[in-house]
Amino acid sequence: MKSNSYKEKFGSLSAARRVWAIASIHGEAAALVTVHDEISRRWEHGDRLVYLGNYLGRGSDIKAVFDELLSFRINRLCMPGMIPEDIVFLRGAQEEILRSLLQLQLAPQPTDVFNWMIANDIGYTLEAYGESEEETRRYVREGILATTKWTNRLREKIREHPGHNDILIALRRAAFTEGGELLFVHAGIDPDLPVVEQNDNFWWGHSHFKDINTPYAGFRKVIRGFERHHGGVTVTPYTITLDGGSGFGGTLEAACFNLDGKTVDQISVPT
């Protein structure tokens, strides 16, 4: 997949010498600021940046994470030679859950769907934007019209914060360097499917990711930013996992890769 004919779904990193990737943040704004400060200090001409999803969920200040993402994006775009496409935000599981939450009135069993969302940490995002689990349940019990009213209200609350909805609109399923050297995903891929057919595998992961033992679709490395056991940094000949457990009492991980797929720099910040 060497051309970006799916521009609205995938990010293509052009003229990259190196690529920084930041793992799942999970609302840990202070750790993200520290990671950004370190990246800024180590930045080189030709560097590009990919955020690997899960900006929301669990951490102490979800809204501040979005504000920091926007601020650092502006900061990097002031660097010589940078264009907006050089910074890519991937959709993570938390952002996919939020997308579904904003369409909760369309779910065939909204109460069951909402229960699943709560079990998967969407409550933290509700609280960040001034909503609550209890209030949401009340609207869901009242039916489709009430639930639609509530989802519209939540959507407006998100839009009240400049740029937050813009990030959600700009999310990409995956990103790759234009020469096909590196592929960046949130949680994984099914190695038996091409990139354009992965769909939910990108944010829910796939059990066979850890078993990839040949180059996937010609990429030298597939790099992901979420792993459900948060096992830290794991490197295999063809894959890299970055997940130190940010939001779960662990670390926020970031790493820089050259086009050979080698890790040339790494940052680890406690949360």
Side-chain angles (χ1 to χ4, degrees), residues 174-189:
F176 52 85
T177 52
E178 66 174 352
E181 300 91 354
L182 307 177
L183 175 66
F184 298 88
V185 301
H186 169 63
I189 55 168

Side-chain angles (χ1 to χ4, degrees), residues 103-161:
Q103 303 175 39
L104 186 60
Q105 68 273 15
L106 303 178
Q109 300 291 335
T111 298
D112 292 344
V113 172
F114 186 66
N115 288 340
W116 176 84
M117 291 176 174
I118 289 295
N120 284 275
D121 297 331
I122 197 63
Y124 296 90
T125 300
L126 288 176
E127 292 175 11
Y129 288 102
E131 294 289 348
S132 70
E133 176 184 345
E134 294 74 17
E135 181 82 348
T136 306
R137 290 191 185 280
R138 183 173 68 81
Y139 278 89
V140 172
R141 283 195 298 268
E142 291 181 8
I144 293 177
L145 291 179
T147 306
T148 302
K149 179 180 179 180
W150 179 84
T151 57
N152 287 338
R153 185 174 79 186
L154 177 59
R155 189 174 284 108
E156 287 305 313
K157 286 187 174 183
I158 294 172
R159 287 173 177 164
E160 287 172 3
H161 298 275

Side-chain angles (χ1 to χ4, degrees), residues 7-254:
K7 187 175 181 180
E8 297 304 313
K9 296 181 179 179
F10 300 94
S12 178
L13 302 164
S14 63
R17 292 181 59 250
R18 312 189 311 173
V19 182
W20 286 94
I22 299 180
S24 294
I25 300 163
H26 282 125
E28 297 289 359
L32 179 61
V33 170
T34 301
V35 166
H36 280 164
D37 287 346
E38 285 299 312
I39 289 177
S40 182
R41 188 171 63 83
R42 307 177 193 191
W43 190 269
E44 296 182 4
H45 181 73
D47 282 2
R48 303 292 182 254
L49 177 59
V50 179
Y51 295 91
L52 299 174
N54 277 7
Y55 319 108
L56 310 169
R58 299 194 64 88
S60 59
D61 203 339
I62 288 168
K63 291 188 295 186
V65 166
F66 272 8
D67 290 340
E68 175 63 19
L69 293 173
L70 292 162
S71 176
F72 195 66
R73 180 179 184 274
I74 293 171
N75 177 280
R76 290 301 91 187
L77 289 179
C78 291
M79 303 294 290
M82 291 287 289
I83 61 174
E85 289 76 15
D86 294 336
I87 301 172
V88 179
F89 298 96
L90 298 190
R91 180 188 305 278
Q94 288 297 315
E95 293 74 50
E96 177 64 9
I97 293 172
L98 177 59
R99 186 190 69 82
S100 298
L101 178 65
L102 291 169
Q103 303 175 39
L104 186 60
Q105 68 273 15
L106 303 178
Q109 300 291 335
T111 298
D112 292 344
V113 172
F114 186 66
N115 288 340
W116 176 84
M117 291 176 174
I118 289 295
N120 284 275
D121 297 331
I122 197 63
Y124 296 90
T125 300
L126 288 176
E127 292 175 11
Y129 288 102
E131 294 289 348
S132 70
E133 176 184 345
E134 294 74 17
E135 181 82 348
T136 306
R137 290 191 185 280
R138 183 173 68 81
Y139 278 89
V140 172
R141 283 195 298 268
E142 291 181 8
I144 293 177
L145 291 179
T147 306
T148 302
K149 179 180 179 180
W150 179 84
T151 57
N152 287 338
R153 185 174 79 186
L154 177 59
R155 189 174 284 108
E156 287 305 313
K157 286 187 174 183
I158 294 172
R159 287 173 177 164
E160 287 172 3
H161 298 275
H164 290 204
N165 193 57
D166 294 333
I167 290 179
L168 295 173
I169 292 173
L171 298 177
R172 298 292 182 257
R173 297 185 177 194
F176 52 85
T177 52
E178 66 174 352
E181 300 91 354
L182 307 177
L183 175 66
F184 298 88
V185 301
H186 169 63
I189 55 168
D190 180 345
D192 295 324
L193 293 177
V195 173
V196 296
E197 295 180 14
Q198 293 292 330
N199 299 322
D200 287 358
N201 289 313
F202 283 134
W203 34 87
W204 304 126
H206 193 279
S207 59
H208 292 317
F209 183 86
K210 64 182 182 299
D211 300 324
I212 295 175
N213 57 14
T214 58
Y216 169 73
F219 292 102
R220 294 170 185 167
K221 276 288 197 304
V222 182
I223 297 132
R224 67 172 175 173
F226 177 80
E227 188 269 325
R228 64 182 65 254
H229 300 296
H230 318 297
V233 178
T234 304
V235 179
T236 77
Y238 304 104
T239 70
I240 297 176
T241 298
L242 298 174
D243 188 352
S246 180
F248 294 84
T251 58
L252 176 57
E253 299 293 327

